[in-house]
C-alpha cells in the first residue's frame, strides 16, 4: 500500500465486496461510550457495535487482559487445551444452568453447533425421523447456510440454492400455532428470548411456558439464541434468568468478548455427550486470547453493580425517549428490555428508521435499526449517565430535524 493512499469511504468501494453499505464516517478511536472519526468529530455510541461493546471502547480491564495474554500465548488449536479457556468455561458453567461449554468465534458458529448437536442428539436418542427444527418468523440466527435457513427472514436465505430441510417457521408469540406444529418429529425449538433484528420483540411468558411444555411432551430440545441478549444486556447475566423457563442449549457471543471475537454454546452433560470426538470443531474456538478477554468481561459484567445498573440505565433511556416522543409524536411505543431497546415508528413515519439513523449521525450519535420501522439502541452496559443524557439530547435534535422536514 502506498504511503499516501487515502483510507476513506471511497476506498471501501474500491477494495471491499459490496455486501455492506457503511456510513461515510470512519471511526479511528474510542474511549468509554465516545468515538472519534478521522476528522476528530466526536460521537456518543448508543449502538455498541450491535450489542457487542458491553463495556464500551477500550475498557481498562479488557485492554489489560489482551496485553497480558498477548505476551503469553496466542494460539494452540484444540489439539491442546489452555488455561484461559478452562477458566472461562468454568465461569460459564458456574453461572448458568449448563454443565458443558463449546467455544467458537461468532454467534452464527455457536448456533450452527447448537443445531448440529440437536440433530445429532435426536438421531442417536430417537432415530432418523426426528429431525424437524421449529423456528420463528423474523428470527435471526446468523449467516451460515444452516443458521440463515433457520432464521425466519427469506431476504437473507433466498438465492443460494437448495436450503437445509425439515425447518418449520411459525409466528413468534403464537401459542396456538406452536401447539399445532410441535410433534414427535420435532427435535428442537429455537428462539431468541427477545428478538433483536426482528424488531426488538419480547417473548410473552405464556409463549415461553408453552415452548418448554411442548418440548418436554415431545422429547424436543429448547435452544435459546442469546447472542444479542446475553452477558448482561437485559439486566440478567442471560435473559432466560428473567423468565420462568430454562433452555437445554444456549448460545452466546457478541458481548462475551466485549469486541473481541468469541462465542460459546452451553448445554447439559447428558446432551453434550452426543458431540463425541471428531463430530464438530473449530480451529480458533477457545483460543487463549479470546478466552482471556472473555474472562475479564464476565468478571466485570457478572456483578450486582453492573447488572442492577443496566436496569437503572434502561429506565433513564425509556424516560428520555418517552419525553422526546411527547414533543414530536414519532413513536408508537418503546419496547425491549435492559439496554436492548427499540423505538417503534408510528404510522406517519413507517419505513423510515434509516432516516433516523442518518440524522443521528449528523448530530453526533451512533444508533441502529431493527428493520425499517424500529430505531434500536444497544449502548454500553456501563455508559455514564451523563453520556445517556447527552446522547438523548443529540437524538432529540435528530428527531426534531425529521419532524420539521
Amino acid at each position: 500500500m502506498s504511503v499516501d493512499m487515502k483510507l476513506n469511504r471511497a476506498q471501501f468501494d474500491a477494495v471491499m465486496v459490496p455486501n455492506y453499505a457503511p456510513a461515510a464516517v470512519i471511526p479511528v478511536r474510542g474511549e468509554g461510550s465516545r468515538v472519534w472519526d478521522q476528522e476528530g468529530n466526536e460521537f456518543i455510541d448508543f449502538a455498541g457495535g450491535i450489542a457487542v461493546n458491553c463495556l464500551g471502547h477500550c475498557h481498562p480491564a479488557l485492554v489489560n487482559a489482551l496485553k497480558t495474554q498477548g505476551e503469553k500465548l496466542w494460539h494452540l488449536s484444540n489439539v491442546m487445551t489452555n488455561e484461559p479457556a478452562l477458566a472461562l468455561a468454568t465461569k460459564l458453567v458456574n453461572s448458568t444452568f449448563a454443565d458443558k461449554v463449546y467455544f467458537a468465534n461468532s454467534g452464527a458458529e455457536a448456533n450452527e453447533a447448537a443445531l448440529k448437536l440437536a440433530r445429532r442428539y435426536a438421531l442417536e436418542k430417537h432415530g432418523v425421523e426426528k429431525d424437524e427444527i421449529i423456528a420463528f418468523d423474523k428470527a435471526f440466527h446468523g449467516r451460515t447456510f444452516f443458521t440463515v435457513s433457520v432464521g425466519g427472514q427469506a431476504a437473507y436465505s433466498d438465492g443460494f440454492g437448495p436450503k437445509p430441510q425439515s425447518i418449520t417457521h411459525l409466528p413468534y408469540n403464537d401459542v396456538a400455532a406452536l401447539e399445532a406444529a410441535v410433534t414427535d418429529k420435532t427435535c428442537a425449538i429455537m428462539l431468541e428470548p427477545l428478538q433483536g433484528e426482528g424488531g426488538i420483540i419480547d417473548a410473552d411468558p405464556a409463549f415461553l411456558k408453552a415452548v418448554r411444555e411442548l418440548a418436554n411432551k415431545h422429547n424436543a430440545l429448547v435452544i435459546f439464541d442469546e447472542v444479542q441478549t446475553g452477558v448482561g444486556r437485559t439486566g440478567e447475566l442471560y435473559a432466560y434468568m428473567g423468565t420462568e423457563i430454562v433452555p437445554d442449549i444456549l448460545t452466546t457471543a457478541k458481548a462475551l468478548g466485549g469486541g473481541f471475537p468469541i462465542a460459546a454454546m452451553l448445554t447439559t452433560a447428558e446432551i453434550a455427550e452426543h458431540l463425541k470426538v471428531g463430530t464438530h470443531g473449530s480451529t480458533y474456538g477457545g483460543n487463549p486470547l479470546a478466552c482471556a478477554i472473555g474472562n475479564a468481561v464476565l468478571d466485570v459484567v457478572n456483578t450486582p453493580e453492573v447488572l442492577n445498573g443496566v436496569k437503572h440505565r434502561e429506565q433513564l433511556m425509556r424516560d428520555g425517549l418517552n419525553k422526546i416522543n411527547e414533543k414530536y409524536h414519532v413513536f408508537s411505543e418503546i419496547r425491549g428490555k435492559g439496554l436492548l431497546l427499540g423505538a417503534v415508528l408510528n404510522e406517519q413515519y413507517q419505513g423510515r428508521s434509516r432516516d433516523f439513523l442518518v440524522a443521528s449521525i449528523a448530530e453526533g450519535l451512533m444508533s441502529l435499526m431493527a428493520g425499517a420501522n424500529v430505531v434500536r439502541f444497544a449502548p454500553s452496559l456501563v455508559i455514564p449517565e451523563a453520556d445517556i443524557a447527552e446522547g438523548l439530547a443529540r437524538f432529540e435534535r435528530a428527531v426534531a430535524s425529521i419532524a420539521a422536514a
Side-chain angles (χ1 to χ4, degrees):
M1 187 176 77
S2 63
V3 177
D4 59 351
M5 179 182 287
K6 292 247 191 255
L7 296 176
N8 54 23
R9 178 61 181 79
Q11 190 64 11
F12 178 96
D13 292 335
V15 299
M16 304 282 266
V17 171
N19 59 312
Y20 300 119
V25 170
I26 299 181
V28 294
R29 183 170 69 86
E31 183 179 345
S33 292
R34 305 213 176 202
V35 168
W36 290 264
D37 70 6
Q38 290 169 315
E39 277 71 53
N41 299 310
E42 179 227 68
F43 300 84
I44 288 179
D45 187 0
F46 274 12
I50 315 184
V52 167
N53 301 326
C54 60
L55 297 175
H57 299 271
C58 298
H59 189 282
L62 305 197
V63 172
N64 182 60
L66 179 62
K67 285 180 175 176
T68 303
Q69 187 60 43
E71 294 177 346
K72 289 181 179 177
L73 193 63
W74 284 33
H75 179 72
L76 290 164
S77 92
N78 288 293
V79 170
M80 295 179 179
T81 189
N82 65 80
E83 290 182 347
L86 294 173
L88 182 55
T90 301
K91 279 183 182 137
L92 289 166
V93 165
N94 289 343
S95 303
T96 68
F97 73 93
D99 307 310
K100 303 285 185 177
V101 177
Y102 165 81
F103 287 121
N105 309 293
S106 68
E109 288 183 35
N111 284 333
E112 184 87 11
L115 292 163
K116 286 176 71 175
L117 173 57
R119 282 265 179 92
R120 179 61 67 105
Y121 176 83
L123 173 72
E124 294 183 351
K125 289 273 287 188
H126 304 288
V128 294
E129 294 298 312
K130 193 175 182 66
D131 64 358
E132 182 196 35
I133 293 161
I134 288 180
F136 297 93
D137 297 338
K138 297 185 178 178
F140 184 86
H141 298 301
R143 297 283 197 159
T144 66
F145 206 17
F146 199 173
T147 58
V148 86
S149 299
V150 174
Q153 302 187 53
Y156 296 153
S157 60
D158 287 354
F160 301 102
K163 298 176 189 177
Q165 297 300 294
S166 295
I167 299 167
T168 299
H169 291 102
L170 303 176
Y172 193 72
N173 277 330
D174 189 329
V175 175
L178 188 69
E179 288 173 339
V182 181
T183 69
D184 287 342
K185 284 192 67 176
T186 305
C187 77
I189 304 171
M190 186 173 197
L191 70 154
E192 300 155 271
L194 167 60
Q195 284 194 327
E197 304 294 324
I200 316 300
I201 302 165
D202 207 0
D204 294 335
F207 172 66
L208 290 180
K209 188 164 179 268
V211 166
R212 184 70 271 176
E213 288 176 352
L214 287 163
N216 291 350
K217 179 180 175 183
H218 294 280
N219 293 311
L221 302 180
V222 175
I223 305 172
F224 263 28
D225 176 342
E226 292 229 34
V227 169
Q228 190 157 178
T229 57
V231 194
R233 181 59 50 187
T234 64
E236 312 284 348
L237 182 63
Y238 285 98
Y240 84 86
M241 296 172 175
T243 76
E244 292 183 13
I245 77 164
V246 176
D248 301 295
I249 302 174
L250 179 147
T251 58
T252 177
K254 286 189 181 288
L256 184 59
F260 200 96
I262 186 173
M265 176 190 72
L266 316 182
T267 191
T268 65
E270 193 252 331
I271 296 166
E273 70 182 25
H274 293 271
L275 274 191
K276 300 175 180 70
V277 173
T279 53
H280 193 57
S282 166
T283 297
Y284 287 109
N287 82 82
L289 274 176
C291 289
I293 295 166
N295 274 295
V297 168
L298 280 188
D299 287 346
V300 175
V301 171
N302 195 20
T303 59
E305 297 78 29
V306 170
L307 295 176
N308 292 333
V310 169
K311 293 169 183 173
H312 172 65
R313 286 165 174 76
E314 173 189 1
Q315 198 56 54
L316 294 178
M317 292 282 293
R318 282 183 179 277
D319 291 347
L321 290 168
N322 283 322
K323 197 171 173 187
I324 291 168
N325 201 39
E326 284 168 15
K327 274 194 197 176
Y328 299 100
H329 310 291
V330 293
F331 308 124
S332 60
E333 64 173 317
I334 308 300
R335 64 191 183 205
K337 193 173 284 185
L339 288 174
L340 182 56
L341 297 173
V344 184
L345 300 178
N346 64 23
E347 287 298 318
Q348 190 179 342
Y349 293 91
Q350 286 293 288
R352 295 189 62 189
S353 60
R354 185 167 182 81
D355 292 348
F356 285 82
L357 185 149
V358 171
S360 295
I361 284 284
E363 295 295 340
L365 178 73
M366 297 161 63
S367 61
L368 298 164
M369 298 159 48
N373 299 314
V374 181
V375 183
R376 175 173 35 162
F377 304 99
S380 160
L381 307 184
V382 295
I383 182 173
E385 291 184 24
D387 284 1
I388 292 177
E390 177 59 25
L392 287 168
R394 295 179 187 190
F395 186 61
E396 180 170 348
R397 292 198 291 273
V399 170
S401 72
I402 291 174

